[in-house]
Amino acid sequence: MTQLAEETPTQEKKTLGFWIYLMTDCVLFAALFATFAVLRGSTFGGPSGHDIFDLQFVLIETMILLTSSFTAGLAILGAGRGFKKQTLFWLVITFLLGAAFLTLELSEFSKLAAEGNGWTHSAFLSSYFTLVGTHGLHIAIGLLWLFVMIFRLWRFKFKKTDINRLALFGLFWHFLDVIWIFIFSIVYLIGGMA
Amino acid sequence: MFNNIQQLIFGRLTASDFVHDPIMAGAGFAMIGALVLAIIGLTYFKKWKWLWRTWITSLDPKKIGVMYILVSVVMLLRGLADALLLRTQQATDVSGGLLTSDHFQQIFSAHGSIMIFFVAMGIIFGIFNLIIPTQIGARDVAFPFLNSVSFWLFAAGMILINAPLIVGEFSAAGWLAYPPLSELQFSPGVGVDYWIWSLQIAGIGSLLSGINFFVTIIKMRAPGMKMMMMPIFVWSALASLVLVMFAFPILTATLGMLSLDRLLGMHFFTATAGGNPMLYINLIWAWGHPEVYILVLPAFGIFSEVVATFSGKKLFGYKSMVVALAAITFLSFTVWLHHFFTMGAGADVNTFFGIMTMIIAIPTGVKVFNWIFTMYRGRVRFTTPMLWFMGFIVTFTLGGLTGVLMSVPAADFQFHNSLFLVAHFHTMIVGGVLFGAFAGFAYWFPKFTGYTLNEKLGKYAFWFWIVGFLLAFGPLYILGFMGATRRLDHYDPSLGWQGLFVVAGVGVLIICVGVFFQILQLIYSIIHRNKNRVGSDPWNGRTLEWSISSPPKEYNFAVIPTVTTRDAFWESKKSNHAHTEVPKYEDIWVPKNSGAGVIVGAFALAFGIAVIWHIWWLLIVGLVGVIVTLIIRLTNDDTEEKITAAQLAHHEGVKAV
Ligand code: HEM
Ligand SMILES: [Cu+2]
């Protein structure tokens, strides 16, 4: 029940704050990327990236995540025009794609662990699991957020504040896409070279 | 079977973890005693509701600021007690000393971590809460609820770092917990975990605060206040906040990796399996060097305000101050390697970082000259804040010079890890950050209470502090030259160091007298407050916080002022037509109280205890608790309440008529 005139500045503050949060998250990832770059060669006699990465599999993951970013964009477009059904539909699709991505990532992790290439094996593997896993953790948080939003949109009336939250979610989800592109190129493409 | 169940419920916590040696047990009992007393007192005087309503659930940054400062003061006493023990040990070592090596190591680790994270950080965030909104002409911070979460995360971290006095042990790996010593192999106990999680939880709070205040400054300045019209303290805060935003995520990542090593058997920084301890040291100082500027830049800001006000002049070289702040902010990310020239990065790398370190001294020097020129031909009033400022100029110049000495890599091979270094950084951090906080405390105290502190007792406190300080740290420079390394729990009597250590010990005792006078001053001033009542502007101030009532109302400004110049309040006093207009009140919105902040803090504390002691069920409780509380709060749209124009006029009427 905020005063109407206050609402625009409030939303502006939130948007700026959220951008800054994303920037700090970028710094966090930068630290993890730097760590990966330093420890990439420290395989301690174990496998290197070249031995364990399956680029085709990662490409599928990438496609799924990029598509989910696109569907999230469609949902936000719909919300801006007040199309509730359309918004809900695309949000659910986004959720499913995100969940599929996370499932694939976890199956890749458990496959590696089952083959004896878990994170305790070498510094390289530790940094690999941590960097990719931190991105996965963000995706999981994003899914939780998405779930709460879908639930609220489905149960309650469509409010201005909901649309604002949706816009922030969009930023978050696109941001995770960008981080993933870096993971794809630095960890899998460069890190996977012989 | 019994063992399994016990482990399921209590993790690695056992009854024997509560057994401590007499000194720690004494401190632990004192803490519990104080807590019990507080609880009895609150119950007896029926103050629980009051505590909950006016403080714990408050989203008013002024309340939150006071709570930050309260915690920091208590932690300062704890840190000082630690320092006293360290000094006693070194002064009496020839006759055996009173501490074991292990206990000595825990104490210096606790002293350093507490002083940096829970004294210095607490003080600056407390001051940010109190001063930033009032100086920029705002009613609140950008995200009031987030502010409360930040504070309670800070409080949770504070509880975790003090808990080892009662249960378990603290880290013995120094305030930065260098691996491989801090790895499981060499520190298998809970000590390092306490250190990691205390800092991690408090650090996330700081990061959130950093974002919050940054947005506050960017978005919530009074209409007309351009960036170059902001009070210089706000500029210094802005610089410090930018550093928080860029540096703290590195700390979060680094602590996270260290704890993954310890919890999940990873190998980031271990001595085996390809781990790289030097990577940790690079990362932690990539946060650590900016951190020292995070602490000291706001102190610079405070001194700038103090010196301008008490010289009755505008600050000399405002623009150059801003440029210097910006330069320091940028450069502070380019010098971290000076903390380990001895690592063996090679002559070229060392030279680069040595030169960068020398360059960063230049903007700092510019500021010192600006302050001195501000006083020049001013009508200087030597109040206590001014005395702290004068003390600061002396110690800061001394500390700055020794810093430049150490920035020469070849020389640093001698100074590295010596008591010379310990003396240097205490000169900067005590003489800079603490003195700055003391100056700010005396300066702004009347604004938030409505009465001044007793000047005479304040002056006593200052003189004991400065003399004690020089005696406590002067000898360490000499000892450093003589080859004494830091963190020494024993040394050979034949070295002839004891005399100087005794002098240093006496210095700390004199500092304690200074602290005693500060406490006395506070109590005395509160008791005699009616004699020292002052209006809204006791010092003939220059900036907007002096234009509102003391103490300020919850909403700070009934009518948001329009700003046209720097030193807005000073100029309006000079032109003097501000008071003639009849204010036009409008409805305003203030945040409702919320208990969600303290609940998030409590669950975070539970989470911390759980990871430290490997109590997995509690870990899930903590995590789910934090998430659910946040979801409930963040999906709530009804978080503000209205103060109508009529109510506002009523509140203000009392004052205006
Ligand atoms: C108030 C008077 C203070 C005294 C008498 C004091 C005394 C000491 C002593 C005796 C040591 C151990 C030196 C050694 O390694 O041999 C020490 C270390 C340290 N102090 Fe202080 N200190 C004071 C204030 C502060 C403050 C305000 C801060 C920071 C805000 C601070 C931060 C540190 C740090 C980071 C260490 C290094 C701990 C380590 O070696 O891991 N001290 N101090
Ligand atoms: Cu440094």
Side-chain angles (χ1 to χ4, degrees):
Chain A
M1 257 195 288
T2 344
Q3 180 196 27
L4 268 179
E6 283 272 276
E7 235 167 44
T8 321
T10 306
Q11 188 52 27
E12 260 177 36
K13 278 186 276 184
K14 285 195 178 151
T15 310
L16 176 67
F18 202 75
W19 272 103
I20 301 210
Y21 150 70
L22 291 180
M23 191 218 71
T24 61
D25 225 7
C26 259
V27 178
L28 185 131
F29 274 109
L32 295 179
F33 274 113
T35 304
F36 178 82
V38 170
L39 298 179
R40 180 167 90 87
S42 306
T43 52
F44 198 60
S48 68
H50 181 66
D51 304 324
I52 53 171
F53 294 153
D54 177 356
L55 278 186
Q56 234 156 9
F57 187 83
V58 182
L59 197 64
I60 297 174
E61 282 182 302
T62 309
M63 285 343 251
I64 291 179
L65 198 64
L66 290 183
T67 315
S68 82
S69 219
F70 180 65
T71 55
L74 290 179
I76 292 165
L77 274 182
R81 299 194 184 143
F83 300 157
K84 181 164 169 175
K85 279 224 185 81
Q86 183 186 339
T87 311
L88 266 177
F89 174 76
W90 288 118
L91 283 183
V92 172
I93 298 288
T94 309
F95 184 90
L96 293 178
L97 288 171
F101 170 86
L102 202 59
T103 317
L104 285 180
E105 182 163 280
L106 288 177
S107 74
E108 188 195 8
F109 279 6
S110 54
K111 182 166 140 265
L112 282 175
E115 285 167 355
N117 296 325
W119 53 80
T120 55
H121 206 78
S122 70
F124 156 69
L125 283 166
S126 301
S127 66
Y128 163 75
F129 274 99
T130 304
L131 174 53
V132 179
T134 305
H135 177 267
L137 184 68
H138 279 72
I139 294 281
I141 293 170
L143 288 179
L144 187 66
W145 186 355
L146 201 49
F147 177 78
V148 173
M149 266 186 329
I150 291 174
F151 179 78
R152 282 177 59 86
L153 287 185
W154 170 59
R155 287 302 302 274
F156 306 118
K157 269 216 299 259
F158 220 44
K159 275 195 285 191
K160 180 89 179 72
T161 44
D162 288 314
I163 298 176
N164 292 340
R165 287 188 189 116
L166 198 57
L168 296 186
F169 171 79
L171 282 180
F172 185 65
W173 206 245
H174 296 322
F175 162 79
L176 291 182
D177 246 14
V178 175
I179 296 289
W180 180 258
I181 300 290
F182 277 99
I183 290 182
F184 182 69
S185 28
I186 292 177
V187 175
Y188 289 106
L189 286 183
I190 300 176
M193 282 192 296
Chain B
M1 180 64 194
F2 175 72
N3 260 341
N4 276 343
I5 291 177
Q6 191 192 5
Q7 223 179 13
L8 208 62
I9 300 178
F10 294 113
R12 51 175 167 165
L13 179 64
T14 59
S16 63
D17 287 311
F18 289 90
V19 181
H20 283 102
D21 69 46
I23 295 179
M24 267 169 103
F29 281 127
M31 244 170 48
I32 294 182
L35 218 60
V36 170
L37 266 182
I39 291 175
I40 293 178
L42 283 167
T43 315
Y44 183 79
F45 292 108
K46 301 203 169 61
K47 287 285 189 189
W48 281 105
K49 216 177 208 171
W50 164 83
L51 187 69
W52 179 257
R53 289 250 175 92
T54 36
W55 292 98
I56 292 177
T57 60
S58 173
L59 300 191
D60 179 352
K62 294 182 287 298
K63 293 274 166 54
I64 293 177
V66 171
M67 291 195 287
Y68 264 112
I69 289 176
L70 213 64
V71 171
S72 306
V73 169
V74 175
M75 287 299 102
L76 178 64
L77 295 179
R78 153 97 211 253
L80 198 65
D82 286 338
L84 206 56
L85 283 173
L86 296 174
R87 278 278 145 268
T88 315
Q89 167 73 13
Q90 287 177 328
T92 59
D93 184 44
V94 178
S95 48
L98 76 166
L99 303 172
T100 61
S101 298
D102 182 54
H103 192 188
F104 186 87
Q105 287 157 9
Q106 288 186 38
I107 293 179
F108 68 65
S109 307
H111 164 82
S113 317
I114 287 180
M115 283 293 199
I116 298 281
F117 280 89
F118 297 100
V119 177
M121 285 301 271
I123 288 174
I124 69 149
F125 276 114
I127 296 181
F128 283 179
N129 266 289
L130 292 170
I131 304 301
I132 289 180
T134 48
Q135 273 200 339
I136 62 174
R139 294 201 170 107
D140 207 334
V141 296
F143 311 114
F145 170 67
L146 191 68
N147 197 19
S148 159
V149 171
S150 291
F151 171 75
W152 289 107
L153 290 179
F154 170 79
M158 183 275 289
I159 294 174
L160 280 182
I161 209 166
N162 285 291
L165 288 178
I166 296 164
V167 48
E169 51 174 6
F170 192 63
S171 163
W175 82 284
L176 284 181
Y178 279 7
L181 176 60
S182 56
E183 291 285 357
L184 215 46
Q185 190 184 356
F186 303 105
S187 303
V190 291
V192 175
D193 297 307
Y194 263 123
W195 180 85
I196 291 176
W197 290 99
S198 166
L199 268 53
Q200 186 71 297
I201 291 173
I204 289 174
S206 304
L207 181 56
L208 295 175
S209 271
I211 299 175
N212 200 347
F213 283 100
F214 181 83
V215 177
T216 305
I217 295 178
I218 297 297
K219 284 276 174 202
M220 296 178 70
R221 296 189 311 275
M225 186 185 276
K226 304 210 178 74
M227 295 293 271
M228 287 311 273
M229 290 180 194
M230 296 195 309
I232 199 74
F233 173 77
V234 177
W235 266 112
S236 73
L238 188 68
S240 164
L241 292 164
V242 169
L243 289 175
V244 169
M245 283 153 31
F246 280 96
F248 268 77
I250 308 179
L251 178 71
T252 307
T254 311
L255 292 176
M257 286 189 271
L258 182 62
S259 72
L260 285 173
D261 275 2
R262 293 178 59 86
L263 274 176
L264 300 184
M266 291 198 180
H267 290 286
F268 285 105
F269 312 123
T270 53
T272 53
N276 187 341
M278 278 323 295
L279 177 64
Y280 177 93
I281 295 174
N282 270 289
L283 285 169
I284 202 85
W285 280 112
W287 159 79
H289 189 84
E291 166 69 9
V292 305
Y293 283 98
I294 289 170
L295 300 178
V296 88
L297 293 183
F300 290 171
I302 295 172
F303 285 127
S304 304
E305 300 290 348
V306 164
V307 76
T309 302
F310 291 108
S311 303
K313 278 175 63 188
K314 68 170 194 268
L315 185 71
F316 182 89
Y318 176 93
K319 274 192 196 135
S320 63
M321 283 295 206
V322 174
V323 172
L325 281 169
I328 293 174
T329 305
F330 174 73
L331 289 173
S332 64
F333 279 102
T334 63
V335 298
W336 79 88
L337 196 129
H338 65 207
H339 294 276
F340 43 93
F341 282 139
T342 50
M343 174 176 82
D348 296 339
V349 175
N350 278 0
T351 308
F352 172 79
F353 282 94
I355 291 176
M356 291 317 284
T357 307
M358 293 174 207
I359 290 178
I360 208 170
I362 296 172
T364 319
V366 166
K367 300 175 83 68
V368 172
F369 282 109
N370 280 341
W371 290 317
I372 293 176
F373 283 131
T374 305
M375 289 166 67
Y376 179 64
R377 304 186 100 177
R379 196 173 284 243
V380 181
R381 286 173 284 165
F382 285 99
T383 52
T384 10
M386 247 346 237
L387 285 187
W388 290 113
F389 168 74
M390 307 286 281
F392 155 78
I393 287 281
V394 174
T395 56
F396 196 73
T397 310
L398 180 72
L401 286 176
T402 56
V404 176
L405 282 181
M406 284 187 294
S407 72
V408 181
D412 188 62
F413 274 70
Q414 180 62 27
F415 298 133
H416 185 70
N417 265 357
S418 73
L419 284 182
F420 189 89
L421 163 82
V422 172
H424 156 73
F425 73 69
H426 280 88
T427 315
M428 303 309 259
I429 220 157
V430 177
V433 181
L434 278 197
F435 285 13
F438 297 156
F441 189 73
Y443 178 57
W444 279 307
F445 186 85
K447 173 72 347 198
F448 295 97
T449 57
Y451 50 95
T452 51
L453 285 171
N454 182 291
E455 276 284 309
K456 195 169 194 183
L457 290 171
K459 284 183 180 156
Y460 289 164
F462 168 76
W463 286 109
F464 277 104
W465 255 99
I466 187 91
V467 171
F469 171 78
L470 291 174
L471 279 181
F473 292 100
L476 300 199
Y477 284 113
I478 306 169
L479 282 165
F481 272 130
M482 291 162 79
T485 54
R486 70 195 287 196
R487 299 172 176 169
L488 273 184
D489 56 318
H490 292 292
Y491 52 88
D492 196 302
S494 68
L495 289 164
W497 293 345
Q498 197 184 16
L500 287 168
F501 273 124
V502 171
V503 175
V506 171
V508 178
L509 287 179
I510 297 179
I511 290 181
C512 290
V513 178
V515 172
F516 168 76
F517 273 113
Q518 285 176 304
I519 297 172
L520 190 69
Q521 180 198 30
L522 189 62
I523 296 175
Y524 184 90
S525 308
I526 292 177
I527 293 178
H528 294 276
R529 60 185 176 278
N530 283 331
K531 275 194 235 149
N532 299 323
R533 292 250 178 241
V534 287
S536 59
D537 183 22
W539 312 118
N540 198 4
R542 315 179 66 81
T543 38
L544 285 178
E545 78 270 30
W546 303 109
S547 69
I548 54 178
S549 65
S550 310
K553 301 269 169 28
E554 183 192 0
Y555 44 79
N556 293 347
F557 296 87
V559 178
I560 299 283
T562 303
V563 174
T564 49
T565 58
R566 226 173 266 161
D567 287 336
F569 182 51
W570 178 259
E571 299 298 334
S572 86
K573 279 192 289 191
K574 275 204 308 200
S575 60
N576 199 16
H577 56 65
H579 295 284
T580 52
E581 295 163 23
V582 180
K584 211 170 138 271
Y585 297 120
E586 287 170 15
D587 294 356
I588 57 176
W589 292 81
V590 293
K592 285 184 191 167
N593 280 11
S594 165
V598 66
I599 296 174
V600 168
F603 280 119
L605 178 64
F607 177 87
I609 294 171
V611 269
I612 292 165
W613 291 100
H614 298 178
I615 310 173
W616 306 124
W617 65 267
L618 187 62
L619 187 134
I620 295 172
V621 170
L623 209 57
V624 172
V626 169
I627 293 173
V628 170
T629 316
L630 284 180
I631 290 180
I632 291 176
R633 164 75 199 193
L634 294 179
T635 49
N636 183 358
D637 284 327
D638 181 22
T639 59
E640 298 187 323
E641 59 197 0
K642 185 154 81 171
I643 301 183
T644 62
Q647 284 168 321
L648 205 58
H650 178 72
H651 285 312
E652 293 295 307
V654 185
K655 190 192 76 178
V657 177

